[in-house]
Amino acid sequence: MDSSTPFLVLTFLLSCLWILIFFHQKQNPKSSKLPPGPPPFPIIGNILEIGKNPHQSLSKLSKTYGSLMTVKLGSITTIVISSPTMAKEALHKHDSTFSGRTVLHTLQTFDHHKLSVVFLDPSVHWKTLKRVCVTKIFSSSQLDSTQNLRLRKLQEMLEYANECCRKGEGLDIGELAFTTVLNSISSTLFSIDLAGYASGSSREFRDHVWGIMEEAGKPNIADFFPVLRVLDPQGARSRMDNYAGKLFKMLDDIVGERMELVRASKMESFTDVLGSLLSHKEEDKPQVGRLDIVHLFGDLLVAGADTTSSTVEWAMAELLSNPQKLEKLKKELQQAIGEEDIKMEESNVSKLPFLRAVIKETLRLHPPAPLLVPHKALEDADICGFTVPKNAQILINIWAMGRDSTIWCNPNQFMPERFLESEIDFKGHDFELIPFGAGRRICPGLPLAFRLVHLMLASLILKYNWKLADDLHPHEIDMEEKFGLTLKRVQPLRAIPTEVIS
Ligand code: HEM
């Protein structure tokens, strides 16, 4: 053997080893670099650091570990994104890879996760449901054709506020908005009101929707440790089965009754969404069956009611604690719409730049879904040299982005004026303001939410002067937040409508 042979053999073996490691890492990037994050405890990971308000605690942690961070929630690897640049990487560059959903145990109720436009991974069925949303429910022409239904709901809201005004009684703005939004969505979908304003009247349905939001929003140990699901240690799943069972039963009855009418050909007068989904017309052939419609309507009512109404409630809270902004908005409304025939219509919104700025500023400070709806990586992906492993949960902390002083000056102040000279919009292209998400999982209800929040806020401001209940002063309004499926106020906003202008 020549003296160089051992050297050649060693070089050959090292090269093989290097090639093996290279291919192993390529095929199994989990072993490569996760984004940095706080060191996890054994078994529980970082659960204790997250606490009751994850959007706030994750925002603090990201100041130490960066805008792409890993936390372990029990056995779930979670990647937290807290900057517009990283959000764009996730929702634009890696849109399809990160478009899966982590499904909570409570949301597997009645196999909802297999039928839900919110919780299905992208699939043929999900695409069909999303297409139904975009073309049959939330298209401009469909929304224009159902505008009168919503204007009637707005009128009913004002009648109730008038009554409180006459009696000098305070009202709960969040509840008022919730009832109006719920009825506006249900009227748009199937021409039926689901709730009433007076306490006790038709509360049942509202309570089911609230119950679902609460159970889905509460941290559940069975999600951190899926092996515990069979035990349902907190009882969350059985409570959810109860609420969701009642909701789906009610919706199924509504759809069933309408199908009977269709069979008897007595439904010509229905211009609502259900009418269009059950239409006889060839070009409108139904793309979805009865069960799909029931679960889709359930999704739309739950996803739409709390998000939209809490936006109105936060906007009112900000305006009542900033009286000059409130006056500015009222002046804009009076000048554009006029005091004689005060009738706020959806088409008026384009003439009201300050109103639009108020809503953007509200959604910047108080996004109803501060971490969006959790996404899931469908494959391993590489972001800025780090690995996001397949099945990791992805949280996009838009609450942190909305309060980042490197993006917004005086980020904690309510300053709608910042949007008057700016082109930034919330339709999913400007990643510093994405309260409805972006990319393929963007909220399909945006066009309806847009009309409802502007219409309701403008009407409440235009029609009344407002006095805080319990003799509170504007600076005493409590702005504390409570994390759930949507970001709620800890203290509901109560105010007395006074001095009807018209
Ligand atoms: C101010 C009001 C609203 C806000 C801020 C809002 C926000 C959001 C957000 C952040 C998402 C998740 C996006 C993501 O995962 O990246 C979402 C999804 C969704 N929203 Fe909304 N939403 C609002 C109103 C509505 C309304 C009125 C409806 C329907 C009536 C609705 C129906 C849905 C549905 C069906 C999804 C699931 C889409 C999917 O997973 O593909 N939302 N919304």
Side-chain angles (χ1 to χ4, degrees), residues 198-213:
S199 55
S201 86
S202 327
R203 284 197 90 116
E204 200 189 355
F205 190 88
R206 201 166 51 185
D207 291 346
H208 298 161
V209 174
W210 261 328
I212 290 172
M213 298 296 287

Side-chain angles (χ1 to χ4, degrees), residues 101 117-118 126 130 300 304 307 311 373 375 435-436 441 443-444:
R101 288 289 195 214
V117 67
V118 186
W126 174 78
K130 198 106 184 203
L300 298 179
T307 44
T311 305
V373 176
H375 288 228
F436 294 91
R441 297 293 330 206
C443 173

Side-chain angles (χ1 to χ4, degrees), residues 325 328-329 332 352-359 416-417 420:
K325 315 281 174 201
K328 191 168 172 178
L329 176 58
E332 177 182 84
L352 299 163
F354 195 64
L355 173 67
R356 281 184 278 126
V358 164
I359 295 297
E417 291 80 359
L420 288 177

